[in-house]
Amino acid sequence: MPVMQKPELITGKDRLDVLGMDRLIADKIQADPTLLQTGLDNIDRWIANGSTQVHRLEEWRALILNARKSEEGLRHLLALLREDSESAAHLRDFAPFAGILTAQDRRPFLLACAFAH
């Protein structure tokens, strides 16, 4: 019987630049804060569809609502999207901003990852 190999951890240059894409999302939201509605819409849809990450999504909902209420809240949300820390990265794993980046926005990141392989 063949032995199953453990998948290799993708690190360094072989990894998709997720932080770069999150920073681009932050730039787009900063330029057009109405894009925050996309996050709220995604949260509502994902919870309605039975997401098991309701706590994380509600955490994002609170961040987005604070960002809509005040400049300080917006600065905080943008900082989380741009911050290079383990805690911010963990929170971003559940970020509800799918749909903000266009295929054209994502293309350079995907190509950079593809060229690394």
Side-chain angles (χ1 to χ4, degrees), residues 9 11 13 28 33 35 42-43 54 57 67 78 81 87 92 96:
L9 182 63
T11 60
K13 291 183 180 182
K28 291 185 81 164
L35 290 172
N42 286 336
I43 291 168
V54 174
L57 295 173
L78 296 174
L81 288 171
S87 61
R92 286 193 308 270

Side-chain angles (χ1 to χ4, degrees), residues 5-110:
Q5 290 186 345
K6 225 176 170 179
E8 290 183 40
L9 182 63
I10 300 172
T11 60
K13 291 183 180 182
D14 292 339
R15 188 169 179 210
L16 182 63
D17 183 10
V18 176
L19 179 58
M21 292 194 322
D22 289 335
R23 287 176 172 167
L24 182 55
I25 289 169
D27 292 347
K28 291 185 81 164
I29 290 171
Q30 186 171 15
D32 181 5
T34 64
L35 290 172
L36 290 169
Q37 186 61 45
T38 299
L40 293 173
D41 293 344
N42 286 336
I43 291 168
D44 290 341
R45 186 173 59 260
W46 295 344
I47 290 174
N49 287 334
S51 172
T52 60
Q53 300 300 323
V54 174
H55 172 73
R56 299 284 182 202
L57 295 173
E58 291 298 347
E59 191 174 355
W60 273 107
R61 183 190 312 275
L63 289 165
I64 293 168
L65 292 174
N66 284 334
R68 288 173 60 166
K69 277 192 235 178
S70 72
E71 281 295 317
E72 182 181 336
L74 181 59
R75 280 193 301 273
H76 178 67
L77 184 139
L78 296 174
L80 284 171
L81 288 171
R82 293 175 173 141
E83 186 178 314
D84 188 11
S85 72
E86 190 173 321
S87 61
H90 180 68
L91 183 61
R92 286 193 308 270
D93 282 344
F94 302 95
F97 298 114
I100 288 181
L101 296 183
T102 65
Q104 185 176 347
D105 292 333
R106 292 186 309 272
R107 184 174 168 75
F109 298 100
L110 297 173

